[in-house]
Structures are given as C-alpha cells and as structure tokens.
Amino acid sequence: MSFGIDDIRRARETIASKIVETPLLESPFLNRMLNCRLFVKAENLQVTGAFKFRGALNKISSLPEEQRKNGILAFSSGNHGHAVAAAASLMGCPAVIVLPNTTAAIKVENCRWWGAETIFYDATKVDRETFAKEIAESRGLTVVPPFDDELVMAGQGTVGLEIHEQLDVLNVSPDLLVSNCSGGGLSSGVTEAFKHFYPSAEVVLVEPAGGEKMSRSLESGKPERNFNLGPTILDGINGPLAGTKTLEVLLRHGVGCTSINEDEALAGMFAAFKFLKLVIEPGGAASLAAILAKKIDVTGKTVVILASGGNVDPAVFTRALQLAEQ
Amino acid sequence: MSFGIDDIRRARETIASKIVETPLLESPFLNRMLNCRLFVKAENLQVTGAFKFRGALNKISSLPEEQRKNGILAFSSGNHGHAVAAAASLMGCPAVIVLPNTTAAIKVENCRWWGAETIFYDATKVDRETFAKEIAESRGLTVVPPFDDELVMAGQGTVGLEIHEQLDVLNVSPDLLVSNCSGGGLSSGVTEAFKHFYPSAEVVLVEPAGGEKMSRSLESGKPERNFNLGPTILDGINGPLAGTKTLEVLLRHGVGCTSINEDEALAGMFAAFKFLKLVIEPGGAASLAAILAKKIDVTGKTVVILASGGNVDPAVFTRALQLAEQ
C-alpha cells in the first residue's frame, strides 16, 4: 500500500475550506500536574463534534460526480453516521444512514437534521454490513466506510498536518503522540503525518480495557475482532473490528498500546472540563485519561493528545462532574 | 480621551505570543435554530479560562521595569484576580491578590498556584478599594484595575482584532456584536475594534437582570452603581460599578443594552454544551442566552457573540445539564 503524507496533503487541499482548524490547547495546570508539556488537539470543536467529519468529507468530495449524484450510504449510529450525513449535505449529495433499531432518538435526529434518510435494522437478527451492502447495491449507493479506506484515513490524517503547523509556530518538537483508537482511522492517519515530521517520536494508542482489538491485531499481524461489545460509555472507541489498511500503517510505524476503563475516562472528561473548558465524550477523553491514570510515562516529555469528540449525553457528563465531590 | 484602534494594535503586539488566539466557532444547528449566522468567540479557551488574561498581561507588560520589580496588586476574587496572578507570574513579577474572606477555596488556590500572595479582608467591615490602596501604597505595589484603564481595555480589545481577522478569512462582514458586560472592559475594547472595521454594525451589551448598571450609565451619561450585589451565578458580570473610561467609549459608539436572568444563562450554557462542546460560565454565556431568549432580533443577520469565560463550578454546570430533562 502506498498510503502516505501526499494523500494527507491532498485531503487537506480538498477539505480545508469546509472544516474547522481546531485549536491545539495547553493548560499550565495540567503541565505542572503531569510534569510534561501537554498539547490537546480539540477535535470536539470540529463540525458535528468529532474528527469523523474530516474523513467523511474527503471521501465524499473525492467521489466522481456521477456516484455523488446517486447518493452515499453509511452504517453507524455514532459520530461516523452524523459526519457522513453532514458531509453529504454540504456536498449536495443524497445520504442513507443505516442504524440499529435501538439507536437513541437524538442520534437519529442528528442524521435526519442534515437531510439524511434513516433505515433501521434489527441487530439481533441481521448482520449490519450485509444488510447495508444489500441496500447500497439495490439502490446504487456508494458506501462511505468508517475507517478502513485510504481517503477516510487521509481525511483524519489532516489532524496531524494541523498539529505540525501549530507546533511549528511555537517552535516545539514533540516526543510523543497519544491517540484514541478503535478501527484505526484516526490513529493511522495522524500517525502517518506525525511520523513524517517527527520520525523519532513515539506513538501510543489508547483502547477500552477489555476491547483491545488493535493491540491484539498489532501482535498477531492481522485485524482482530472485539468480542466485548456490551453497552459502554466508551462506545466511540469500542467498534467490532480493526481495519486492514489502518493496521498496516500502524504496524509499519511500530506504535505502542495501552487501555483505560470507564472510570478513568470520566476522570479525563472532568479534567477537560476543569482545566481546558472543553466538553469531551468518554471515548474522546481516552488519551487524556490514560495519561492521568499514569498508563503512559510522560515525565519531562512534550506530548500531543487527541480530544477526538464531544458528543456526550448530559447524564454521562453529569457523572464526570460528580468526580468533583470525591 | 484618545483610546482607539492603535492602542489595541499595540496591545496585540505586546501580548500576542503569550495568549491563545481563541477560535471563532459556528454551529449549523444554532444557525438554523436562530435563523442567523452566529459566530462564537471562545474566550473560555483563553489562559486562565477567561478574556481577563489579555488585559492583565497588557497592563503588566506595559509597566516600567522598576514598577514590575516592586510588584503588582489586584482586588478581585474572580477571573480578574486569577488572570493578574497568571500574568504576573509569566512576567516574573510579584503579585498580591486582595480577596474577601468569604472567597471560595478553589479561587484562593488558583491565585496561590501561580505564586501570588493572598490577603483577606472582611467585606462587611472595610471597603475593598480603600483596603487595597492602603496595602498598595504601604508596599509600593502597582494596582492593576479590573476594567477602567486604557491598557486593560486595549488588551481586551485584541479579542476584536482577532474576530476581524477570522471573519476576513471567511470573507464575512458582521451586522451585530453582542457582548457580555459588567464594568465594560471587554465590551468597550471589543466595540472600539469592531466599530473601526464595521462602522455600520450594531453593538448590544448583555447585563444581569436587576443589575443593569451600564444600561443606566448610558442613559444618565455617568457611571452608575449596581445595588443588586446579592449572591448570583452571574457574578462574572455583576460587579459593583460601571467604568468612567469604558462608559465614554460605549457612549461614543451608541451601543444598545439588554439583560438576562439566571435561568436564561443556564439555558445558554446548555446550548454551548450541546452545540458547541464548550464549557461556559453563567456570565460568559450571557450573549448566547440573550439571543436564545429572543431578547435581541438576529433574524437574517450575521452575528458575533463573546463566550467570555469558562470558570464554573461543577454543581452549577450540573444545573445547566439538568435542562436536558425538561
């Protein structure tokens, strides 16, 4: 595979005018508390509240006019579905989002708000990929994959290009990138960009404890499944499968792995509330959580972490705020 | 008085390398809901979580070396005290923060964290200005005023310069600026910059209902007192007095006024949580609250609002989140 910095640069040209160049934030309190210099890339401030918009927009923008006119399809009840609905709307392209019939009303509304058609399936009876592919084929729709696609990965990789430019202004060179990881779209894209500019820097991925599919994939050398799919507030990073293309990139760069549990994620969200004034969802707070929980040694280092999304229910955010009372 | 755009440009040169250039954010949901194009200047992401850092840093940076060495003093338990402590620390300058003996522990800690000395007074027995001035004179300290000072106003005005540059990139010209207002430091500085670039745009200030001192000052032509100083979550915009210099600027530009109550502020905070992924304190959410509560007609307009700070207790933020259940 030839995925590299040029794909990411092309993606940047394609999407730059339609995305938010999110700030790279720092907290003097966190720096002193953690004994490091910590930069937080605030992708929760991206359109649709998550980095996913970048990849979806790059993919849809890169489709031939004809395919765009026929329409696109995505299967995801989370940030990817919302991002695809938004990107399709901006590109004037019909969109179908395939959702489990148990999807929360707010997530259905988000897709419909952007004008997308929503189609439901019974997750206990049908396989979502098979179901979605049948609809796509019968209606001539192009599937926008959530992560295992070079155009999607390149879109997410633009986060890394921005980080490089933002650090350059400060004349800072990082030692470590910590990235939240599920299928690997964000982490592969950003790692590719990061390692291009900082070849000797370290990269560590953060997964949900009990659902470390990418960690196991990196060991076995092939994409592994996550069998721990029960309901969790870490749903944003608890997808069923590691990607093939994303794994290839991550293997090539020799990344490390760690994991966090729900309580650690809530502590990360609380720290983001208190010190960064950001609303981050549990999966989006995984990198910060891992550092706060001392899963990664950051002493004396210059560290970049990704705050990948901010779509969190008030009830879950309230749980994070209750940590203040402890 | 000669306060103008050049003061603000000089302030920018002085402080640019030490402040966060905060993002100007937009939410497609808010835009459609409010039938306008709304830009939110996220000063909650500023160092110390509020715009106050800009003015404090500009003032302290502009002092003669000798005065800086002797040290500075501020009286404020809120964002101004925290900002002065931080700016003094960055400038290597001793700082004394004078606080009422009822100040919450977290606010005392914030000042001390930056290395400032804290001195307490009994607000039921002594006047804070008299008390602070006595300490300043006896110890040779320079007072950093919270708002009624051209260097402080110029520092806050840099928010307006950034807004102009950020709108220029988008090729957008605004119709309306809505600014939270207490003593007038932020609103006078930003209005001065805003009116320089957009002379025909409107400016509206937002004050706490029952504490509309600037509105009354604009009517009477002299700085009026706020007699409604009871405890309120809107403390950030509920100071005791309008400024003389700030009033002069605001009078010159013919600004309008409105007000919001606590519940409306909480609704603004909830909207910022949901649509912008930002943590905003009640007073910092006043502009957004006023628009959501239909106090200002924004239909069809391009509007800039200031999210001026994010220092809010978890318990108060939880109250905002509870609005989701209604």
Side-chain angles (χ1 to χ4, degrees):
Chain A
M1 186 178 59
S2 62
F3 180 72
I5 192 72
D6 291 338
D7 297 282
I8 300 171
R9 288 196 166 117
R10 248 190 319 271
R12 180 78 181 284
E13 279 169 40
T14 305
I15 66 176
S17 69
K18 297 188 184 73
I19 60 167
V20 176
E21 184 177 318
T22 55
L24 190 65
L25 299 168
E26 221 181 330
S27 157
F29 287 86
L30 285 175
N31 283 351
R32 196 189 293 176
M33 184 194 298
L34 297 165
N35 197 12
C36 72
R37 187 164 185 191
L38 185 73
F39 291 95
V40 181
K41 182 67 170 166
E43 277 295 294
N44 61 325
L45 305 180
Q46 191 51 263
V47 183
T48 70
F51 72 93
K52 291 276 187 184
F53 181 69
R54 296 177 185 254
L57 184 62
N58 191 47
K59 176 70 177 179
I60 295 171
S61 302
S62 307
L63 293 175
E65 179 66 30
E66 184 67 18
Q67 262 177 285
R68 272 217 299 275
K69 232 192 271 170
N70 287 344
I72 54 93
L73 177 145
F75 42 93
S76 157
S77 60
N79 287 330
H80 175 61
H82 189 182
V84 167
S89 164
L90 278 182
M91 299 302 297
C93 150
V96 172
I97 312 295
V98 174
L99 302 162
N101 55 12
T102 53
T103 304
I106 176 71
K107 295 186 174 177
V108 178
E109 276 166 39
N110 278 342
C111 295
R112 288 184 180 162
W113 190 90
W114 289 101
E117 179 185 345
T118 48
I119 297 181
F120 298 91
Y121 66 95
D122 183 343
T124 63
K125 291 187 182 157
V126 299
D127 173 67
R128 74 171 183 181
E129 287 198 38
T130 315
F131 182 78
K133 273 182 189 161
E134 275 171 17
I135 297 172
E137 275 169 30
S138 72
R139 292 176 52 172
L141 306 171
T142 304
V143 173
V144 179
F147 52 84
D148 210 20
D149 178 288
E150 291 183 19
L151 287 161
V152 172
M153 291 153 65
Q156 325 302 30
T158 60
V159 170
L161 283 190
E162 288 179 14
I163 290 170
H164 170 246
E165 289 169 7
Q166 290 166 323
L167 290 177
D168 247 20
V169 170
L170 303 171
N171 208 11
V172 165
S173 183
D175 304 303
L176 172 64
L177 167 73
V178 184
S179 172
N180 314 330
C181 182
S182 183
L186 177 67
S187 49
S188 64
V190 178
T191 297
E192 187 66 36
F194 200 79
K195 283 288 201 171
H196 175 81
F197 296 110
Y198 316 111
S200 64
E202 222 187 324
V203 176
V204 175
L205 312 181
V206 185
E207 297 184 280
E212 298 94 339
K213 60 186 179 292
M214 191 59 84
S215 164
R216 289 188 282 108
S217 303
L218 287 161
E219 274 175 43
S220 73
K222 59 182 176 38
E224 301 286 347
R225 288 205 161 268
N226 176 11
F227 297 105
N228 198 359
L229 293 174
T232 168
I233 58 170
L234 291 166
D235 56 342
I237 54 171
N238 199 44
L241 189 65
T244 303
K245 293 171 182 168
T246 59
L247 174 60
E248 197 178 317
V249 173
L250 294 168
L251 271 173
R252 175 152 48 86
H253 290 299
V255 304
C257 293
T258 189
S259 67
I260 50 118
N261 63 32
E262 292 192 342
D263 285 344
E264 289 161 344
L266 290 169
M269 291 164 64
F270 181 66
F273 163 84
K274 184 170 180 184
F275 299 116
L276 297 161
K277 313 305 174 191
L278 294 176
V279 174
I280 310 187
E281 63 188 81
S287 304
L288 181 54
I291 291 175
L292 288 167
K294 313 262 179 231
K295 304 288 178 84
I296 302 168
D297 180 22
V298 295
T299 310
K301 294 181 185 165
T302 298
V303 184
V304 179
I305 67 173
L306 308 179
S308 48
N311 294 311
V312 50
D313 286 338
V316 174
F317 204 79
T318 301
R319 282 174 61 191
L321 293 177
Q322 283 162 352
L323 293 174
E325 294 158 21
Q326 290 169 13
Chain B
M1 186 179 61
S2 63
F3 180 72
I5 191 74
D6 290 338
D7 298 282
I8 300 171
R9 287 196 167 119
R10 248 190 320 272
R12 179 79 181 283
E13 278 168 39
T14 305
I15 66 175
S17 70
K18 297 187 184 74
I19 61 167
V20 176
E21 184 179 318
T22 55
L24 190 66
L25 299 168
E26 221 182 330
S27 156
F29 287 86
L30 285 175
N31 283 351
R32 195 189 294 177
M33 185 193 299
L34 296 164
N35 196 11
C36 71
R37 186 163 185 191
L38 184 74
F39 291 96
V40 182
K41 182 67 171 165
E43 276 295 293
N44 61 325
L45 305 180
Q46 191 51 265
V47 183
T48 71
F51 72 93
K52 291 275 188 184
F53 182 69
R54 296 176 185 255
L57 184 63
N58 190 47
K59 177 70 177 176
I60 296 172
S61 302
S62 308
L63 293 175
E65 179 66 28
E66 184 67 18
Q67 262 177 285
R68 271 217 300 274
K69 231 192 267 171
N70 288 343
I72 55 93
L73 177 145
F75 42 93
S76 157
S77 60
N79 286 330
H80 175 61
H82 188 183
V84 168
S89 164
L90 277 182
M91 299 302 297
C93 152
V96 171
I97 312 295
V98 174
L99 301 161
N101 55 13
T102 53
T103 305
I106 177 71
K107 295 186 174 177
V108 179
E109 276 166 38
N110 279 342
C111 295
R112 288 183 179 162
W113 190 90
W114 289 101
E117 180 186 344
T118 48
I119 297 181
F120 299 91
Y121 67 96
D122 183 341
T124 64
K125 292 186 181 157
V126 300
D127 173 66
R128 75 171 183 180
E129 288 198 37
T130 315
F131 181 79
K133 272 181 189 160
E134 276 172 17
I135 296 172
E137 276 169 29
S138 73
R139 293 177 51 173
L141 306 171
T142 304
V143 173
V144 179
F147 50 85
D148 210 21
D149 178 288
E150 291 183 19
L151 286 162
V152 172
M153 290 153 64
Q156 324 304 28
T158 61
V159 170
L161 283 189
E162 288 179 13
I163 291 170
H164 170 247
E165 290 170 5
Q166 290 165 323
L167 290 178
D168 248 19
V169 170
L170 302 170
N171 209 10
V172 165
S173 184
D175 305 302
L176 172 63
L177 168 73
V178 185
S179 173
N180 315 330
C181 182
S182 182
L186 177 67
S187 48
S188 64
V190 178
T191 297
E192 187 65 37
F194 200 78
K195 283 287 201 173
H196 175 81
F197 296 110
Y198 315 110
S200 64
E202 223 186 323
V203 175
V204 176
L205 312 181
V206 186
E207 296 185 281
E212 299 94 339
K213 60 185 180 291
M214 191 58 84
S215 164
R216 288 188 284 107
S217 305
L218 288 162
E219 274 174 43
S220 72
K222 58 183 176 40
E224 300 287 348
R225 287 205 163 269
N226 175 11
F227 297 105
N228 198 359
L229 292 175
T232 168
I233 58 169
L234 291 166
D235 56 341
I237 54 171
N238 199 45
L241 189 65
T244 303
K245 294 173 181 167
T246 58
L247 174 60
E248 197 178 318
V249 173
L250 294 169
L251 271 173
R252 174 152 48 86
H253 290 298
V255 303
C257 292
T258 189
S259 66
I260 50 117
N261 63 31
E262 292 192 341
D263 285 344
E264 288 161 345
L266 290 169
M269 291 165 64
F270 181 66
F273 163 84
K274 185 171 179 184
F275 299 117
L276 297 162
K277 314 304 175 192
L278 294 177
V279 174
I280 310 187
E281 63 189 82
S287 304
L288 181 55
I291 291 175
L292 288 168
K294 315 262 179 228
K295 304 288 178 86
I296 302 168
D297 180 23
V298 295
T299 311
K301 293 181 186 165
T302 299
V303 184
V304 178
I305 67 172
L306 308 179
S308 49
N311 294 311
V312 50
D313 286 338
V316 175
F317 204 80
T318 301
R319 281 175 60 191
L321 293 177
Q322 282 161 354
L323 293 174
E325 292 157 22
Q326 290 171 14

